[in-house]
Amino acid sequence: MEGLIVFMSIFKKLSFLLSKNDKQQIIILFFFSLFISLIEMVGVSAIMPFIMVATDFNVLQTNPYFQWAYNFFGFDAPQIFILAFGGFLLFFYIFRSIINLAYQYGLAKLSYGTYHELAQKLFETYISLSFKEFTRKNSSVLSKTIINEASNFTILLSSVLFMLSEVFVVLLIYGLLIVVDYTITLSLSALLLIALVLIKGGFSRVLKKEGGEREQNQKVFYEILNSSFGNFKLIKLQSIALPVKERFLKVSYKVAHANIIHRTLLHLPRLTLEAVGFSIMVLIVSYLVYLKDGDIKSFLPLLSTYVLALYRLLPSINRIFDSYNYILFYHKSLDIIYDDLHVPAKNLGNEHIPFKQNITLEHIHFSYTPSQSLFDDLSLQINKGEKVAFIGESGGGKSTLVDIIIGLYRPLKGEVKIDNIPLNMHNIKSWRSQIGYIPQNVYLFDGSVAENVVFGRTYDEQNIISVLKQAGIYDILEEKEGIYTQVGEGGALLSGGQKQRIAIARALYANPEILVLDEATSALDMETEARIMDSIYSISQQKTLIIIAHRLSTIQNCDTIYRLNNGKITRER
């Protein structure tokens, strides 16, 4: 009953996750699997008549079916008939192999095509998260879901389809054996069924448990990797590589152990079924030899049929169990993907919103938790072209306030207005496109300066050179490889000031109306900071400038300075 509930849940979630095209492919594969099942049944049933004729030519005269085939095709010698029959079977089994290979190709195409679509949907979903939602998530978990869980989903999907196709094969061959001799077939079935029940009861719970362990430990595995590589400098400085390595090895071992148990138990059904099935056949042959005093020639066709049937049935039954075990082991991946994609995506509009006069915050209320309010009835106005700075102690709300202004956070109450037009879901993309953001921690990926400036936007070499000149770094790059200078992972090949100037160029690339500096120069020495701030003030003469800063030297040229303290704002200049 528990297994049925699990499968009903799996089919429901699969129906949600699979596209219309995927479902059409599944229907085609379903009928393909039925055809293959018929091919397999014919492949098993054809052996018995072939052996009957090969061991007794008189059958050609006594059996009406053989007699009709012999006369219809005009054979004049039994040996020629046998050779023709054998040749037909030879081509039939080659055809059978080709058909099975085509089915496996279709199955693989569906599975890995689905992985591509799922990875795309997951990435789009995560990229579409609001800034507030994204900050609550662990990026290593998101990476794990796209890389591992989506891949595991394809294994689960293949297992479901593979299990269904093998069930048809088993049913058709089993039906054939019932027709051939129901007494032997039912006796054989009873013994195999007992073996299957013992197998299922013995390890299904273990597999499900190990599958859960794999998912949990793999999540920690990714977290350790991300945190270790992200804090590599700190690890080297504080000489804490050993405890970090020990934690990694412990979690890695747990992931490996879960996979070892899984892989080992996968072979248990096959080995058990083979032992039981062929032991029964040995007992049957021994019994017939004893009963007929060694003369079992007349039973050879029957025995050949059962041997071939078992040879085909046992792998199919084993694959059904393998598929079932994969489903148990990876069902958690399906749950994770379903939960992440089940949340409807928020569609942000790109309705144009002009910025000619001012930005107004009216009676803003905001909090991260229901019990503690950060802003309570905060109001503010920033005029176009104004240079505004926010100062105050850490945790006072400076970055949060700026994130509300630029549309990354939505206030719980109150409104943000641009030229008296409320900022909402219909115009938020248009508003964000007018903002150039320069963070404190600049992320530069391993590529060229040009690629880091463009950062996924339309490539314009003249614009790249222009903004690099405005940022005051183009001449330095000319001494290297120009805009094609490699920055290294995280900008490791550049100085702190150079990274910050590339961040400025990146912010200027879309020609924004507003420049936001979120403590962008706090990690630099005062001399480098002064040079960069001179560049920024020069660049932003015709732009609105919003600065979050601790050093007063950073904001000495600002028109207005606001101090934030415990969510309250006061104007200092």
Side-chain angles (χ1 to χ4, degrees):
M1 186 65 183
E2 181 185 354
L4 180 62
I5 294 172
V6 169
F7 270 89
M8 291 298 291
S9 173
I10 286 172
F11 282 119
K12 176 187 174 185
K13 292 175 180 178
L14 285 176
S15 178
F16 171 79
L17 293 175
L18 295 174
S19 67
K20 183 179 179 181
N21 182 55
D22 291 335
K23 292 174 183 176
Q24 289 173 347
Q25 288 187 61
I26 288 173
I27 292 171
I28 293 170
L29 287 171
F30 173 78
F31 286 106
F32 204 167
S33 68
L34 285 177
F35 177 64
I36 289 174
S37 302
L38 291 171
I39 293 290
E40 293 294 337
M41 184 188 70
V42 172
V44 172
S45 61
I47 288 297
M48 185 168 72
F50 178 72
I51 293 176
M52 284 175 65
V53 177
T55 55
D56 185 5
F57 291 167
N58 292 326
V59 174
L60 292 174
Q61 303 302 322
T62 58
N63 186 295
Y65 300 107
F66 287 129
Q67 188 179 36
W68 176 85
Y70 187 83
N71 295 327
F72 181 81
F73 290 105
F75 290 104
D76 55 6
Q79 291 87 347
I80 302 299
F81 180 83
I82 295 298
L83 290 174
F85 198 171
F88 168 76
L89 290 180
L90 177 64
F91 283 105
F92 173 80
Y93 285 117
I94 292 172
F95 172 73
R96 168 185 168 273
S97 298
I98 293 171
I99 288 295
N100 273 280
L101 186 63
Y103 177 74
Q104 294 301 326
Y105 171 78
L107 200 60
K109 184 179 179 183
L110 171 67
S111 299
Y112 290 101
T114 303
Y115 171 77
H116 166 71
E117 291 178 4
L118 271 185
Q120 178 183 330
K121 287 179 182 177
L122 286 166
F123 186 74
E124 287 176 353
T125 299
Y126 298 152
I127 288 295
S128 300
L129 290 171
S130 70
F131 184 68
K132 189 174 183 180
E133 290 171 331
F134 183 81
T135 53
R136 291 175 177 174
K137 294 185 177 290
N138 189 315
S139 60
S140 63
V141 175
L142 303 185
S143 298
K144 180 181 78 75
T145 301
I146 293 175
I147 297 169
N148 281 92
E149 306 305 345
S151 179
N152 293 338
F153 173 86
T154 65
I155 297 174
L156 183 144
L157 177 61
S158 297
S159 298
V160 170
L161 297 176
F162 208 51
M163 186 168 69
L164 289 175
S165 68
E166 293 296 339
V167 165
F168 292 130
V169 172
V170 169
L171 289 176
L172 286 173
I173 295 178
Y174 185 77
L176 172 67
L177 293 180
I178 287 287
V179 173
V180 171
D181 193 310
Y182 71 90
T183 306
I184 295 176
T185 302
L186 291 177
S187 302
L188 193 61
S189 303
L191 293 170
L192 288 175
L193 187 61
I194 292 170
L196 291 174
V197 170
L198 292 175
I199 293 168
K200 183 181 182 300
F203 69 69
S204 289
R205 285 189 299 273
V206 176
L207 276 177
K208 199 169 183 180
K209 175 179 173 292
E210 293 298 331
E213 289 287 326
R214 174 206 62 81
E215 190 277 324
Q216 287 297 321
N217 285 299
Q218 206 164 52
K219 180 166 64 176
V220 180
F221 183 91
Y222 271 85
E223 289 171 357
I224 294 172
L225 286 178
N226 280 15
S227 62
S228 299
F229 295 153
N231 294 287
F232 187 77
K233 188 174 183 179
L234 185 63
I235 289 172
K236 301 301 287 185
L237 181 65
Q238 298 186 355
S239 300
I240 56 173
L242 184 60
V244 170
K245 184 176 74 172
E246 288 176 348
R247 183 167 176 247
F248 174 80
L249 290 176
K250 184 179 179 181
V251 173
S252 178
Y253 172 78
K254 289 181 178 179
V255 174
H257 180 265
N259 284 310
I260 289 168
I261 297 298
H262 174 230
R263 290 291 178 181
T264 303
L265 290 179
L266 280 179
H267 297 286
L268 184 60
R270 175 179 61 83
L271 296 172
T272 305
L273 290 172
E274 285 178 359
V276 172
F278 287 109
S279 295
I280 292 169
M281 288 307 301
V282 170
L283 290 173
I284 292 172
V285 172
S286 300
Y287 174 72
L288 290 173
V289 169
Y290 171 75
L291 191 66
K292 300 294 182 180
D293 293 325
D295 183 17
I296 60 169
K297 181 180 178 181
S298 60
F299 290 97
L300 280 178
L302 178 65
L303 288 174
S304 300
T305 300
Y306 271 93
V307 169
L308 185 61
L310 280 176
Y311 184 77
R312 183 61 187 86
L313 271 177
L314 292 180
S316 289
I317 295 172
N318 178 60
R319 283 193 283 266
I320 290 171
F321 261 84
D322 280 354
S323 300
Y324 178 71
N325 294 332
Y326 275 121
I327 291 166
L328 288 180
F329 192 69
Y330 290 122
H331 82 282
K332 190 68 178 175
S333 298
L334 174 62
D335 295 339
I336 291 169
I337 294 170
Y338 177 80
D339 290 341
D340 282 4
L341 293 182
H342 201 255
V343 179
K346 296 175 181 176
N347 295 318
L348 302 179
N350 200 24
E351 185 180 299
H352 180 65
I353 185 168
F355 177 43
K356 303 294 184 184
Q357 299 173 4
N358 54 50
I359 306 165
T360 307
L361 278 66
E362 297 181 353
H363 309 294
I364 298 297
H365 294 255
F366 184 86
S367 66
Y368 288 103
T369 60
S371 59
Q372 188 173 6
S373 176
L374 181 59
F375 299 132
D376 191 9
D377 199 32
L378 183 147
S379 296
L380 174 70
Q381 180 171 300
I382 299 173
N383 295 319
K384 183 177 175 63
E386 191 176 4
K387 312 297 182 272
V388 176
F390 295 101
I391 61 173
E393 298 298 323
S394 296
K398 302 185 297 298
S399 294
T400 303
L401 178 60
V402 171
D403 287 340
I404 291 173
I405 292 171
I406 64 180
L408 289 179
Y409 284 149
R410 297 277 297 163
L412 301 178
K413 293 181 182 178
E415 283 187 321
V416 178
K417 293 183 177 180
I418 315 301
D419 290 357
N420 212 35
I421 300 173
L423 192 62
N424 54 44
M425 300 297 285
H426 301 294
N427 54 32
I428 190 73
K429 287 178 71 176
S430 171
W431 174 238
R432 290 175 181 172
S433 68
Q434 300 181 57
I435 296 163
Y437 181 73
I438 308 169
Q440 178 182 10
N441 299 314
V442 179
Y443 175 74
L444 299 181
F445 56 85
D446 192 3
S448 68
V449 169
E451 289 169 332
N452 274 276
V453 170
V454 174
F455 203 59
R457 294 168 288 190
T458 304
Y459 190 94
D460 183 340
E461 186 169 320
Q462 291 304 313
N463 193 17
I464 294 169
I465 294 171
S466 174
V467 295
L468 287 171
K469 285 180 177 178
Q470 291 179 63
I473 193 175
Y474 184 73
D475 292 340
I476 297 171
L477 294 174
E478 281 289 273
E479 297 173 4
K480 300 178 181 180
E481 297 176 53
I483 65 174
Y484 305 107
T485 301
Q486 296 297 304
V487 304
E489 186 176 1
L493 302 179
L494 304 175
S495 69
Q498 290 169 343
K499 286 197 291 185
Q500 214 64 40
R501 288 185 183 278
I502 290 174
I504 294 169
R506 178 189 283 172
L508 292 172
Y509 188 72
N511 191 27
E513 293 289 339
I514 303 163
L515 273 180
V516 175
L517 277 73
D518 190 350
E519 300 192 34
T521 58
S522 61
L524 304 176
D525 61 83
M526 295 187 69
E527 185 180 346
T528 304
E529 180 191 47
R531 289 199 299 269
I532 288 178
M533 288 308 302
D534 285 344
S535 299
I536 289 172
Y537 282 119
S538 175
I539 292 164
S540 62
Q541 285 182 5
Q542 305 301 318
K543 300 181 186 295
T544 304
L545 183 62
I546 299 174
I547 302 175
I548 300 171
H550 278 105
R551 296 177 186 167
L552 293 177
S553 58
T554 309
I555 57 175
Q556 59 185 353
N557 293 328
C558 285
D559 303 317
T560 311
I561 300 174
Y562 292 100
R563 178 175 293 277
L564 275 162
N565 186 27
N566 295 325
K568 303 295 183 183
I569 191 167
T570 54
R571 182 170 177 167
E572 293 207 343
R573 190 176 75 192

